[in-house]
Amino acid sequence: MDSKATPFDSEALGSRRAIIRRNPDDVQEIEMIEAAWGSSPRFSGGVSFEFIRSEGRNFPSSRCLVAASEFHIRNGEKKFRAFREDGNFFYLAAIWEPAMAEWPVSYRIITVDANPEVIRYQARHGAMIERRDAQKWLDFAVPEEELLVTPPAGIFTIEEILTKPVQTSLVF
């Protein structure tokens, strides 16, 4: 597993990350398990879906959380990281799917319209669940539309990820 890839980074696709969910065999228990990012391509014409839009959908089961301290944005050839201005980590709302055939337990991140800082780079981002609301998401304590909202302005700092130039040396 690439330790530099974040849960919302294109390089993390198919890799396994920890998710937090209700144990399907004992709903009183909250567990952390490894899951692959993206749905099984076997059942969707060879395509793995990593995201699911929040609008007009209910998520009455299979909710999970992905802990994150940042997410990455690719805009053309440039890559950026978005992280909370206050430095706190957060959760990304997601849904998990059971293992199917050779595909392991997997998850897809739920998206919302991008907030004012992120919209300059892309139209959507993962639905952020505050730490104080994690239990509400897992317990279905409040309707989805109250938790799956675009964060207000001033939450994220965006920084370009600069790649280090490769140093070459000539040997004569």
Side-chain angles (χ1 to χ4, degrees):
M1 174 164 63
D2 181 3
S3 62
K4 294 181 181 180
T6 69
F8 204 62
D9 186 355
S10 60
E11 282 117 26
L13 297 179
S15 64
R16 295 181 187 212
R17 298 286 183 257
I19 63 169
I20 301 164
R21 69 176 188 175
R22 288 263 172 215
N23 181 339
D25 298 323
D26 179 3
V27 295
Q28 299 302 314
E29 178 186 345
I30 294 175
E31 64 181 359
M32 183 181 295
I33 65 163
E34 277 191 346
W37 184 25
S39 62
S40 173
R42 179 177 179 196
F43 300 101
S44 54
V47 177
S48 179
F49 292 97
E50 297 83 27
F51 305 103
I52 185 167
R53 288 177 166 260
S54 63
E55 294 83 7
R57 298 191 185 218
N58 291 319
F59 302 98
S61 63
S62 302
R63 290 183 184 182
C64 65
L65 296 166
V66 180
S69 59
E70 65 183 47
F71 57 87
H72 290 181
I73 301 166
R74 191 174 300 275
N75 187 315
E77 294 295 315
K78 293 184 177 184
K79 193 171 180 181
F80 302 86
R81 65 191 274 267
F83 56 94
R84 285 187 60 122
E85 181 73 30
D86 62 12
N88 282 323
F89 78 89
F90 51 93
Y91 295 106
L92 295 171
I95 56 168
W96 66 272
E97 297 168 350
M100 293 184 221
E102 308 240 342
W103 195 256
V105 172
S106 61
Y107 67 94
R108 290 185 282 158
I109 295 172
I110 299 169
T111 64
V112 296
D113 289 332
N115 89 327
E117 291 88 35
V118 176
I119 197 131
R120 296 180 354 204
Y121 305 92
Q122 65 187 30
R124 303 186 67 76
H125 60 72
M128 187 173 84
I129 302 290
E130 297 286 353
R131 294 185 327 201
R132 68 178 173 270
D133 293 330
Q135 203 66 43
K136 293 175 187 174
W137 176 250
L138 294 174
D139 290 346
F140 310 96
V142 297
E144 289 98 335
E145 59 270 8
E146 289 184 31
L147 293 172
L148 302 177
V149 297
T150 299
I155 293 283
F156 295 117
T157 296
I158 312 290
E159 289 182 352
E160 186 173 356
I161 300 171
L162 301 173
T163 57
K164 295 180 183 175
V166 177
Q167 293 184 350
T168 58
S169 57
L170 299 174
V171 178
F172 296 97

